[in-house]
Amino acid sequence: MDRIEEFGLLLKALARETDRRINDLLRPLGITASQAEALQLLDRYGPLSLGELGTLLIAEGGHPSRLVDRLVASGFARRENASDDRRRIEISCTPRGRELARAAREHKETFRAWLQDRLAGVDLGAATAVLETCLTDTPLAETVRQRRERALAGEITP
C-alpha cells in the first residue's frame, strides 16, 4: 500500500468511525448525525431556503431535500412561504425541532470531548492544511469555508 492509498483509507475510516460514534450517541434521541446537523443549522440560522441549507450542510448525496422531507414528516421542521416572497419556500425548526437540536448538541459533546482527549498535544495545523488542500476546488471546500466564516463571526457553535 502506498502513502496516498493509506491516507485515503485512514480518511475513510475516520469518517466512518466519526459517523458511527455520533449516530450511537444520537440514537436515544431518534435521529441521525445528518438530521442533527440540519436541525442545528436551522436552529442557528432559520428560516433557510433548501439551497441555503444545502450550502451549509455536509450530507449524503449533497442535496438536503430528502433529509428535510424526513424532518418535516417527523414534526421537527416546517416549510412555509417566505413573508417577503411567496415563491420562496423557507424551512425552519418547530419548537420540538429546536429542543432536539439542542439535545443533539449536548449528546455530541461527548464525542467532541473524546476526540479532544485523543488529540491532546497534537498540532492540528499541518493536518488541517493537508485536508484543505485535498478539498481545494470542490463544492465541499466552499461549505467548509462558509461554516468557518460563520463560526469566526460567532454565528455557529460546535
Side-chain angles (χ1 to χ4, degrees):
M1 175 182 308
D2 67 22
R3 299 291 292 174
I4 296 296
E5 185 179 358
E6 182 179 15
F7 178 74
L9 184 63
L10 287 167
L11 280 178
K12 187 175 183 178
L14 179 59
R16 293 240 170 106
E17 182 64 14
T18 297
D19 286 347
R20 185 190 67 74
R21 285 180 177 270
I22 291 174
N23 281 320
D24 286 351
L25 289 166
L26 295 174
R27 190 166 290 112
L29 298 177
I31 59 172
T32 65
S34 295
Q35 291 170 325
E37 183 181 9
L39 284 173
Q40 289 171 311
L41 290 168
L42 290 170
D43 185 41
R44 290 270 180 231
Y45 304 125
L48 297 171
S49 71
L50 192 60
E52 290 167 335
L53 179 60
T55 63
L56 296 173
L57 190 63
I58 298 176
E60 326 83 45
H63 199 277
S65 60
R66 284 185 296 247
L67 182 59
V68 169
D69 288 345
R70 287 191 301 271
L71 294 174
V72 169
S74 298
F76 303 138
R78 65 177 159 258
R79 288 186 178 95
E80 298 177 314
N81 289 333
S83 58
D84 60 338
D85 182 354
R86 293 191 50 85
R87 295 170 296 175
R88 176 182 155 94
I89 303 296
E90 294 181 325
I91 304 150
S92 59
C93 280
T94 62
R96 193 168 151 218
R98 273 190 200 77
E99 289 175 22
L100 195 54
R102 291 181 184 117
R105 192 172 288 112
E106 291 171 10
H107 279 67
K108 286 167 60 176
E109 193 57 38
T110 301
F111 172 77
R112 202 173 149 73
W114 172 82
L115 189 57
Q116 190 169 14
D117 184 54
R118 287 196 168 236
L119 297 174
V122 174
D123 177 15
L124 295 178
T128 301
V130 167
L131 296 173
E132 287 174 340
T133 299
C134 291
L135 288 172
T136 298
D137 298 327
T138 68
L140 290 178
E142 178 61 16
T143 300
V144 172
R145 185 192 66 73
Q146 286 189 28
R147 295 270 294 265
R148 181 185 299 125
E149 285 180 3
R150 289 182 183 230
L152 291 172
E155 296 178 17
I156 292 180
T157 56

